[in-house]
Amino acid sequence: MKSPKPNRRPSQLAMDGGMPIRRTPLPLEFPGTYFYGKQELDLVSRVIRARSPNRYYGLDLQYMTEQFEREFAKFVGVPHALAVNSGTAALAVGMMALGIGPGDEVIVPGYMWVSTVGAVVRLGAIPVLADIDETFCLDPKDVERKINKRTRVVVLVHMSGATGNVAPIVELCRKYKIHLLEDVAQAAGASAHGKRLGSFGDISIFSFQLNKPMTTGEGGAVCTRTKQLHDRAFAAHCVGYPRNAAGRLDLKNLEFATWGYGARMNEPTAALALAQLGKLPKICASMRERKHKLKKMLSDIPGLSFRRLDDPEGEAGSFLLTIFPDAAHANFFVKALRAEGIVPQRGGISNIRMTDWGLHIYHHIPSLVNKLPVSGGNNPWKDPRNRASQRVCYSKGTLPRCDDLISRTLLLCIPPVLTNRDVKDISDAYHKVAEAHPLL
Ligand SMILES: Cc1ncc(COP(=O)(O)O)c(C=O)c1O
């Protein structure tokens, strides 16, 4: 005999045995992949048919990388763009172009990615953490407090698809004659008041890894304001030397010679990047539209707030950050929402507490907290040239505002294919949980 169905009230939370709002997982993130189509196939096929996967040599060069660099620079609004094979490589190359080394300090936000600090450490310089504010990006006041005569670069990381206080940070860098490097890895296609992110700094870097607004699986770019920075970045991304017009290494030109990373982009990747670039505004518009709709629907929940956005119309729209009054509420909500079915398909990371957001948070990076050497005896924190910077600390508690915000915020990915139904289900789940467990 079948057991009788339990008598469930619609308002009973799924975590307490009630009916969940939905049973189908939400679509995966990876925005750019949903837009793969004929253009990607045609351009990549052209490279393969021409049997020329390298940008410099081959049977029948297609010049995809060159064309991509030209079009990307135009898109961002800068004079130069250099295609590389990852955002991590772009950061390494960018820092090298700026000539960072022992004795230098580089200001980075507490919410970033391990590669942002790694690029500094690998060159023997000291990363100095600055706090974030409700924009989840650098707090200009804390940046100014951290500036001293050793500060060479401020890295403004445009996190989770949008920028923060770009104008005051630009102003600070000007005032103190410090380089500005924009890390736009998570926000390609976004802008601030009509100016593309990546066009504010001396150098800006991008990632085209799978989770980013446009994707080639792995890939990146370095944009530069001056020919000199571009030439240095070029040598750093290649084998340490410039190349001549025929693509041959120019070993006689030692002006920008260095030790290169071998981080060149290949032609099939550039072909994919070219096709994706053409679709980037549409990809961002699709995410933004869904995010704005959802945010509006959630805006009547008392006690729930959102990340502060300087220019909501310019954001990429890839993430919604919901901020709770305290960590206990955030922890309860994430469990309750997940029980209501607000979870991504397998392989996705969405609707998580930001405390679970891995190497994006300074005190989650063990090699930073423990000041581990790069290799052998090469350890910037033990280098006498960095003596003045050695008291710098990276343990939890170093950035109180960052710690507080991260502890009470949930992160939801906004794939560009979220349906109206998906958006409504997310909103219904938030409202259901808020009704059962008010925030105020
Ligand atoms: C802020 C930030 N910077 C840099 C990177 C590095 O990019 P990649 O994964 O292409 O090496 C990432 C990647 O997640 C990132 O989020």
Side-chain angles (χ1 to χ4, degrees):
M1 204 174 92
K2 274 189 184 168
S3 57
K5 279 193 180 154
N7 190 12
R8 288 169 172 149
R9 283 176 291 118
S11 60
Q12 189 178 14
L13 294 182
M15 72 195 295
D16 296 330
M19 284 279 266
I21 293 281
R22 61 185 281 140
R23 295 190 186 278
T24 318
L26 294 165
L28 290 170
E29 50 270 29
F30 319 140
T33 57
Y34 291 106
F35 290 75
Y36 277 15
K38 188 171 175 333
Q39 273 154 310
E40 282 80 357
L41 283 168
D42 285 352
L43 289 175
V44 175
S45 303
R46 243 174 69 190
V47 172
I48 293 168
R49 274 196 295 269
R51 298 172 195 277
S52 294
N54 183 293
R55 76 179 285 184
Y56 295 116
Y57 318 94
L59 302 179
D60 178 16
L61 293 188
Q62 298 298 304
Y63 302 103
M64 293 288 176
T65 317
E66 209 176 298
Q67 194 184 338
F68 172 67
E69 287 175 343
R70 229 179 7 251
E71 293 196 11
F72 195 68
K74 197 163 146 211
F75 178 85
V76 175
V78 291
H80 312 278
L82 178 71
V84 295
N85 59 9
S86 73
T88 302
L91 279 161
V93 163
M95 286 293 170
M96 210 151 160
L98 291 173
I100 303 311
D104 297 332
E105 291 183 4
V106 174
I107 294 180
V108 292
Y111 177 41
M112 35 75 194
W113 177 240
V114 59
S115 312
T116 319
V117 281
V120 180
V121 174
R122 233 183 291 103
L123 292 176
I126 298 287
V128 172
L129 296 172
D131 219 335
I132 60 171
D133 62 14
E134 284 73 13
T135 64
F136 284 76
C137 296
L138 277 176
D139 169 10
K141 287 197 205 76
D142 201 41
V143 171
E144 190 157 23
R145 276 194 289 271
K146 303 286 166 68
I147 291 175
N148 61 45
K149 60 181 190 311
R150 297 179 294 283
T151 312
R152 289 282 311 283
V153 182
V154 171
V155 186
L156 175 57
V157 191
H158 306 295
M159 285 304 281
S160 305
T163 186
N165 308 289
V166 65
I169 299 285
V170 168
E171 195 43 47
L172 276 180
C173 290
R174 243 184 236 140
K175 178 172 161 191
Y176 291 98
K177 299 190 172 31
I178 296 168
H179 290 297
L180 174 62
L181 188 150
E182 293 179 74
D183 181 338
V184 205
Q186 296 197 3
S191 58
H193 305 291
K195 242 185 124 204
R196 289 250 185 253
L197 302 190
S199 64
F200 294 93
D202 302 289
I203 293 199
S204 57
I205 73 93
F206 292 81
S207 165
F208 310 131
Q209 181 265 351
L210 188 62
N211 292 73
K212 308 305 188 298
M214 62 169 266
T215 187
T216 56
E218 302 282 6
V222 184
C223 291
T224 40
R225 279 216 159 277
T226 65
K227 171 90 169 63
Q228 192 189 45
L229 282 174
H230 174 75
D231 288 347
R232 284 194 204 185
F234 185 94
H237 106 294
C238 197
V239 292
Y241 299 94
R243 286 180 186 265
N244 62 24
R248 301 280 163 185
L249 289 170
D250 180 0
L251 305 184
K252 292 209 180 75
N253 182 352
L254 297 186
E255 191 184 352
F256 301 114
T258 183
W259 301 93
Y261 285 103
R264 294 173 301 274
M265 184 178 274
N266 63 44
E267 284 280 282
T269 304
L272 205 45
L274 204 47
Q276 285 269 287
L277 179 59
K279 300 174 180 178
L280 186 54
K282 205 165 146 197
I283 298 171
C284 292
S286 305
M287 295 190 291
R288 207 162 41 232
E289 184 203 324
R290 287 159 173 81
K291 176 181 167 178
H292 288 187
K293 195 182 287 173
L294 176 59
K295 203 171 148 185
K296 198 163 164 214
M297 289 164 102
L298 300 181
S299 62
D300 62 352
I301 297 179
L304 188 73
S305 59
F306 305 101
R307 164 191 195 184
R308 197 176 81 227
L309 288 174
D310 186 32
D311 178 14
E313 293 315 310
E315 66 165 325
S318 27
F319 297 94
L320 176 71
L321 306 185
T322 47
I323 309 173
F324 293 80
D326 52 48
H329 277 102
N331 293 343
F332 178 86
F333 256 70
V334 79
K335 277 191 217 122
L337 289 170
R338 292 183 78 88
E340 296 299 335
I342 309 306
V343 281
Q345 286 166 27
R346 244 175 98 163
I349 302 176
S350 185
N351 189 22
I352 56 162
R353 300 176 322 158
M354 286 191 78
T355 40
D356 298 327
W357 201 216
L359 297 175
H360 288 293
I361 296 144
Y362 72 97
H363 58 80
H364 288 181
I365 305 173
S367 40
L368 183 68
V369 173
N370 297 300
K371 300 182 179 175
L372 296 188
V374 181
S375 75
N378 176 5
N379 183 331
W381 292 284
K382 292 192 175 158
D383 187 324
R385 289 167 292 181
N386 289 325
R387 194 170 290 120
S389 313
Q390 275 164 359
R391 293 219 332 252
V392 69
C393 180
Y394 307 105
S395 315
K396 190 170 180 185
T398 302
L399 302 178
R401 199 108 166 264
C402 180
D403 295 358
D404 172 52
L405 282 166
I406 294 291
S407 77
R408 54 192 179 91
T409 301
L410 302 189
L411 177 143
L412 185 82
C413 296
I414 309 289
V417 291
L418 272 190
T419 61
N420 284 338
R421 180 61 199 260
D422 296 333
V423 170
K424 183 176 181 306
D425 284 349
I426 299 169
S427 166
D428 286 351
Y430 263 86
H431 281 93
K432 182 178 170 189
V433 179
E435 210 163 285
H437 197 84
L439 294 173
L440 293 177

